[in-house]
């Protein structure tokens, strides 16, 4: 087989794989040929680079060749109240100018975004107006403000926005210490979270769209491909152009886009922030974990919201243990349980039967000894195991209401069984049920179980004081 | 197939004439569509030459080749008029700025010539797809491969060209 054939085959086989897996498979198949590995890796990297030019065809290129009169042509001209001063940048769809607005004797510097000549297909026009609507929807000190809109004499529409005199995020952070960089990033996260609360997914978050002013104020710009969700949990199939390095797997695959897509892009940006500073050695394991979770291939494995990501970063800045690492066991469980129903049933069953089984076996062996011992209190191991499972059930119930319902029905069923012979176990089960019901605001059944748990606690020697306390607290909350 | 080669100058001249006419007179509100253009040329030529439908695949290839030449010539002329030869555009620092269309057209032609040396079939596919404006189905039919293969090959070509053109900014 020729080398080129080998390159082709390996590329086709591995291009869709996650980085780590591809690296492994390539090493395996290349048989020590490092140059071959690099060649394929290079192609994969290129595959993920912006491809807008190659994605269009000669028709578009012809058109561009014909109509891309120098964007500078507009400089020095006036439209409406705006005097166009300088050409700042150009994208595939529009040119951006610096302009001065003169009204009632005052002057204000603004940015003018003008649709490119020839870029006047219906789809592009629609997207341009869409950006205008999106920006008008967002009012935030860290989001570029929408000021006005109009039409040039040659019929091209333009948007007037706040002028941001800033540099891309990665450039600004260049000489800043890690803490400073992360603090700024947390502000960016809060801003994206705000946009999400307005149901706007940016979809093209990258350093060049996060500008930082001289004063260190971040500003989100370019909502040109932003998507409006129908609800906060909603998703929508994105159609705009992408920047593949920052685009999530689901965006690249053309699958529905949710807030998780922005989480992914922010994770990539965060990775660059950590790597690009003067003190890269500080890039701690915790930070890498945060990046990994934000950039998980499966949207369901990522932070559920930008706020969650921000929370972990804040903890990192405050040197607290990360929610995600502290709870990584339950986190993994939660993910697992979302896909499989049985673990929650298993947890509930184990929680109950462990206690019942162990205690009853013990009873059979030596009921006198059990009496003499402090009952449930003596079965620390059983109790601990049961508590772990209880926590599991609560975690799962929080992650998925459906699983909560499942846990409730299972535990309720258990209550009518042998559990009643073992008041300590019954107490634990009722405490779990009270919590689960409270979780979903069903006070009546919650109160019923809490009441019974309090009664059991007050009348049974084996129920520990802490559990009694919990029962009372739950009873109070369910009143 | 030797018949095809004798066709080339005719196709080229015809396409060039039509493209030129479109650019001169209808630039603003008319999209220059290579497929439509090729189709029209095909109709004219087939009327005069008794061509068969099965020649269409070969013809599309020739038309795409011709479009590539027209486009590249055009881009070169434009680049020369915009600035002295040999000068390359500089990028505004920090501002993601796109390659000018004429630079892209010239770079793509050069990269494609390199690809011809590595994998001539793949270069052919790019010509059909990009310059010919052919759909994946048409590309597949012209090259006698399955549509799935055509798509897979296109992805490879895209990555290869991207790497070739992206890594050589001076």
């Amino acid at each position: 087989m020729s080398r080129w054939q080998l390159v082709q085959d390996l590329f086709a086989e591995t291009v869709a794989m996650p980085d780590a897996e591809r690296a492994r498979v390539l090493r395996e198949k290349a048989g020590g040929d490092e140059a071959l590995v690099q060649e394929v890796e290079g192609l994969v990297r290129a595959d993920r680079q912006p491809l807008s030019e190659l994605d269009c065809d000669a028709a578009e290129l012809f058109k561009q060749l014909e109509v891309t009169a120098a964007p500078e042509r507009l400089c020095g001209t006036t439209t409406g109240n705006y005097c166009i001063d300088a050409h700042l940048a150009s994208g595939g769809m529009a040119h951006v100018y610096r302009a001065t607005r003169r009204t009632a004797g005052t002057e204000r510097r603004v940015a003018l975004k003008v649709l490119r000549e020839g870029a006047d297909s219906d789809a592009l026009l629609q997207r341009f107006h869409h950006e205008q609507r999106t920006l008008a929807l967002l009012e935030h000190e860290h989001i570029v403000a929408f000021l006005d809109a109009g039409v040039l004499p040659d019929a091209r529409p333009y948007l007037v926005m706040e002028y941001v005199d800033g540099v891309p995020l990665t450039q600004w952070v260049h000489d800043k210490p890690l803490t400073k960089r992360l603090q700024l990033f947390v502000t960016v996260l809060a801003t994206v979270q705000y946009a999400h609360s307005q149901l706007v997914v940016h979809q093209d978050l990258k350093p060049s769209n996060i500008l930082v002013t001289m004063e260190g104020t971040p500003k989100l710009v370019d909502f040109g491909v932003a998507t409006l969700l129908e609800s906060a949990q909603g998703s929508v199939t994105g159609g705009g152009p992408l920047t593949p390095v920052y685009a999530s797997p689901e965006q690249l695959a053309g699958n529905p886009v949710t807030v998780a897509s922005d989480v992914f892009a922010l994770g990539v940006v965060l990775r660059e922030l950590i790597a690009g500073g003067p003190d890269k050695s500080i890039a701690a394991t915790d930070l890498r974990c945060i990046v990994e979770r934000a950039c998980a291939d499966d949207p369901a494995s990522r932070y559920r919201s930008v706020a969650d990501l921000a929370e972990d970063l804040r903890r990192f800045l405050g040197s607290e243990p990360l929610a995600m690492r502290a709870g990584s066991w339950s986190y993994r469980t939660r993910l697992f349980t979302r896909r499989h129903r049985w673990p929650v049933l298993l947890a509930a069953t184990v929680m109950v039967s462990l206690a019942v089984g162990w205690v009853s076996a013990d009873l059979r062996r030596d009921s006198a000894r059990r009496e003499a011992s402090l009952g449930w209190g003596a079965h620390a191991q059983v109790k601990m195991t049961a508590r772990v499972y209880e926590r599991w059930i609560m975690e799962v119930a929080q992650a998925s209401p459906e699983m909560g319902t499942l846990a409730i029905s299972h535990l309720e069923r258990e209550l009518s069984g042998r559990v009643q012979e073992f008041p300590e176990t019954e107490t634990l089960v009722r405490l779990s049920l009270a919590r689960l019901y409270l979780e979903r605001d069903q006070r009546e059944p919650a109160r019923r179980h809490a009441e019974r748990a309090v009664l059991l606690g007050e009348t049974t020697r084996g129920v520990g004081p802490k559990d009694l306390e919990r029962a009372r607290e739950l009873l109070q909350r369910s009143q | 197939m030797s018949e095809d080669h004798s066709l080339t100058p005719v196709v080229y001249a015809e396409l060039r004439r039509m493209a030129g006419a479109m650019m001169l007179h209808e630039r603003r509100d008319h999209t220059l569509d290579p497929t439509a253009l090729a189709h029209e040329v095909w109709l004219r030529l087939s009327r005069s030459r008794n061509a068969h439908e099965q020649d269409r695949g070969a013809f599309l290839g020739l038309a795409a080749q011709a479009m590539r030449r027209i486009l590249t010539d055009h881009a070169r002329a434009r680049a020369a008029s915009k600035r002295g030869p040999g000068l390359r555009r500089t990028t505004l620092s920090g501002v993601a700025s796109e390659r000018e269309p004429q630079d892209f057209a010239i770079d793509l032609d050069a990269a494609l010539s390199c690809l011809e040396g590595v994998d001539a079939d793949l270069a052919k596919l790019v010509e059909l797809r990009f310059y010919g404006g052919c759909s994946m189905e048409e590309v597949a039919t012209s090259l006698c491969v399955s549509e799935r293969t055509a798509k897979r090959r296109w992805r490879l070509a895209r990555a290869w060209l991207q790497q070739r053109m992206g890594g050589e900014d001076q």
Side-chain angles (χ1 to χ4, degrees):
Chain A
M1 192 191 289
S2 78
R3 185 179 181 84
W4 173 238
Q5 188 59 48
L6 209 60
V7 169
Q8 289 181 64
D9 291 349
L10 286 176
F11 174 80
E13 188 185 341
T14 62
V15 66
M17 290 179 177
D19 289 350
E21 192 185 346
R22 185 181 56 256
R24 186 179 57 73
V25 172
L26 282 181
R27 290 250 136 58
E28 211 173 275
K29 302 220 165 169
D33 187 345
E34 188 56 25
L36 180 64
V37 173
Q38 287 314 319
E39 194 172 345
V40 178
E41 288 280 9
L43 283 173
V44 173
R45 267 198 305 280
D47 182 73
R48 293 178 181 185
Q49 270 168 27
L51 291 162
S52 53
E53 293 157 319
L54 274 169
D55 284 338
C56 68
D57 63 23
E60 190 57 37
L61 194 52
F62 256 123
K63 207 166 151 188
Q64 289 289 333
L65 274 176
E66 278 315 294
V67 297
T68 40
E72 294 81 10
R73 198 172 53 81
L74 277 180
C75 297
T77 64
T78 301
T79 177
N81 291 325
Y82 306 96
C83 176
I84 299 175
D85 301 321
H87 171 240
L88 294 174
S90 291
M93 176 168 114
H95 301 299
V96 181
Y97 299 91
R98 195 186 72 215
T100 313
R101 179 172 64 176
R102 296 202 172 82
T103 37
T106 62
E107 283 195 357
R108 178 176 179 176
R109 185 165 278 193
V110 295
L112 224 67
K113 186 170 187 171
V114 182
L115 197 66
R116 262 188 124 120
E117 288 161 302
D120 51 2
S121 69
D122 283 350
L124 284 177
L125 268 175
Q126 249 176 31
R127 202 181 292 154
F128 198 74
H129 290 306
H130 178 73
E131 177 174 14
Q132 179 180 332
R133 282 197 300 277
T134 309
L135 274 179
L137 210 68
L138 301 170
E139 268 182 65
H140 193 281
E141 54 175 331
H142 297 309
I143 293 177
V144 65
F146 165 70
L147 302 172
D148 195 6
V151 180
L152 289 184
D154 67 4
R156 281 185 288 156
Y158 64 83
L159 292 180
V160 186
M161 290 171 293
E162 167 189 14
Y163 175 73
V164 180
D165 188 8
V167 296
L169 179 67
T170 33
Q171 195 177 326
W172 182 84
V173 300
H174 186 61
D175 53 351
K176 306 286 187 296
L178 185 65
T179 315
K180 191 108 185 156
R181 276 180 270 154
L182 293 181
Q183 277 165 350
L184 184 95
F185 191 65
V186 168
T187 310
V188 171
L189 293 179
T191 312
V192 177
Q193 176 67 23
Y194 161 81
H196 288 176
S197 73
Q198 303 299 304
L199 308 181
V200 172
V201 181
H202 188 287
Q203 281 217 73
D204 196 17
L205 288 168
K206 54 185 173 186
S208 59
N209 282 340
I210 306 170
L211 299 178
V212 188
T213 66
M214 296 281 274
E215 296 77 38
T217 311
K219 293 267 186 188
L220 289 191
V221 301
D222 199 353
F223 283 74
V225 294
T227 304
L228 214 54
L229 298 176
E230 274 166 27
S231 69
Q233 284 77 44
S235 67
V236 82
T237 305
L242 306 164
T243 310
V245 179
Y246 300 93
S248 56
E250 67 272 19
Q251 279 173 293
L252 290 175
N255 288 333
V257 162
T258 64
V259 293
S261 315
D262 276 357
V263 170
F264 182 93
L266 287 165
V268 180
V269 174
L270 176 61
R271 185 187 288 146
E272 289 178 26
L273 284 190
I274 300 165
D279 43 9
K280 350 185 163 180
S281 57
I282 306 182
T285 321
D286 276 349
L287 275 182
R288 278 203 296 277
C289 286
I290 295 178
V291 169
E292 259 169 43
R293 182 158 168 208
C295 295
D297 279 343
D298 177 9
S301 308
R302 291 179 210 146
Y303 287 102
R304 275 148 80 200
S305 68
V306 176
D308 287 354
L309 167 58
E311 184 54 35
D312 258 4
L313 269 183
R314 271 192 217 101
R315 279 171 207 262
F316 175 83
L317 285 167
S319 297
E320 281 175 55
L322 297 184
M324 160 211 139
R325 268 163 71 78
S328 63
W329 168 79
S330 59
Y331 163 66
R332 281 199 301 274
T333 308
R334 198 154 65 212
L335 281 182
F336 185 60
T337 314
R338 216 174 280 159
R339 281 177 225 124
H340 308 279
R341 274 169 155 255
W342 65 264
V344 72
L345 291 178
L346 178 76
T349 308
V350 169
M351 173 185 160
V352 176
S353 61
L354 254 188
V356 173
W358 283 35
V359 173
S360 56
D362 204 34
L363 256 181
R364 271 198 304 279
R365 204 162 52 234
D366 189 355
S367 62
R369 210 183 96 213
R370 182 179 177 270
E371 253 339 275
S373 72
L374 285 173
W376 180 257
H379 302 77
Q381 200 185 349
V382 177
K383 198 158 114 182
M384 203 185 76
T385 314
R387 283 208 200 297
V388 167
Y389 280 103
E390 190 201 347
R391 213 179 102 204
W392 187 355
I393 292 171
M394 296 315 294
E395 288 273 0
V396 166
Q398 266 168 4
S400 142
E402 191 201 356
M403 291 299 166
T405 311
L406 209 61
I408 285 179
S409 69
H410 188 81
L411 289 174
E412 287 275 21
R413 228 182 6 257
E414 286 289 343
L415 272 184
S416 56
R418 278 197 70 199
V419 165
Q420 294 201 333
E421 295 170 43
F422 306 97
E424 305 94 326
T425 307
E426 194 191 333
T427 311
L428 266 185
V429 171
R430 288 196 187 274
L431 286 176
S432 299
L433 278 167
R435 278 182 67 192
L436 283 167
Y437 278 122
L438 265 182
E439 199 83 48
R440 51 196 58 213
D441 220 24
Q442 293 179 12
R443 281 153 192 275
E444 171 46 35
R447 192 180 50 74
R448 196 157 34 84
H449 288 293
E451 246 175 7
R452 176 83 184 144
V454 170
L455 182 72
L456 284 166
E458 282 169 351
T459 55
T460 315
R461 245 176 86 207
V463 176
K466 279 212 177 119
D467 284 335
L468 181 56
E469 205 179 293
R470 273 173 69 203
R472 286 189 175 126
E473 189 208 317
L474 284 168
L475 181 60
Q476 207 180 358
R477 276 174 55 202
S478 53
Q479 295 294 343
Chain B
M1 281 286 165
S2 59
E3 180 71 2
D4 295 331
H5 287 292
S6 68
L7 252 175
T8 318
V10 184
V11 173
Y12 180 70
E14 190 64 18
L15 281 168
R16 195 184 176 92
R17 194 187 60 71
M18 293 177 70
M22 277 189 182
M23 284 173 197
L24 271 176
H25 305 299
E26 298 171 86
R27 50 172 65 180
R28 282 308 287 283
D29 29 9
H30 199 115
T31 308
L32 185 66
D33 180 345
T35 317
L37 207 60
H39 187 68
E40 211 169 307
V41 174
W42 169 248
L43 282 180
R44 283 164 186 247
L45 292 174
S46 59
R47 268 200 296 271
S48 61
R49 287 177 157 257
N50 301 324
H52 297 292
E53 191 58 25
Q54 61 258 42
D55 292 337
R56 194 174 144 76
F59 170 76
L60 280 176
L62 289 172
Q65 225 171 53
M67 289 303 275
R68 177 178 167 191
R69 277 171 63 189
I70 295 169
L71 187 68
T72 311
D73 288 351
H74 195 54
R76 287 213 181 91
R78 210 191 142 79
S81 72
K82 235 190 151 182
R83 50 166 188 249
L87 253 166
R88 282 194 77 102
R89 185 181 52 97
T90 50
T91 316
L92 276 169
S93 74
V95 177
S97 175
E98 279 193 352
R99 201 193 319 245
E100 292 288 331
Q102 61 270 23
D103 294 334
F104 174 73
I106 295 166
D107 291 352
L108 179 60
D109 179 64
L112 206 50
S113 299
C114 290
L115 185 58
E116 273 156 12
V118 178
D119 188 334
D121 287 347
L122 200 58
K124 192 97 215 139
L125 185 148
V126 174
E127 264 182 4
L128 282 167
R129 170 76 182 166
F130 188 87
Y131 293 102
C134 293
S135 69
M136 271 305 169
E137 199 188 336
E138 285 170 319
V139 170
T141 315
S142 294
L143 297 178
C144 301
V145 294
S146 73
E147 202 175 328
R148 200 166 146 260
T149 303
K151 279 184 184 161
R152 188 167 46 76
R153 300 268 291 153
W154 165 245
R155 186 170 187 178
L156 173 74
R158 217 165 59 149
W160 194 93
L161 290 168
Q162 185 75 15
Q163 190 181 29
R164 184 90 203 168
M165 291 191 289
E168 296 188 332
D169 266 355
Q170 288 154 28

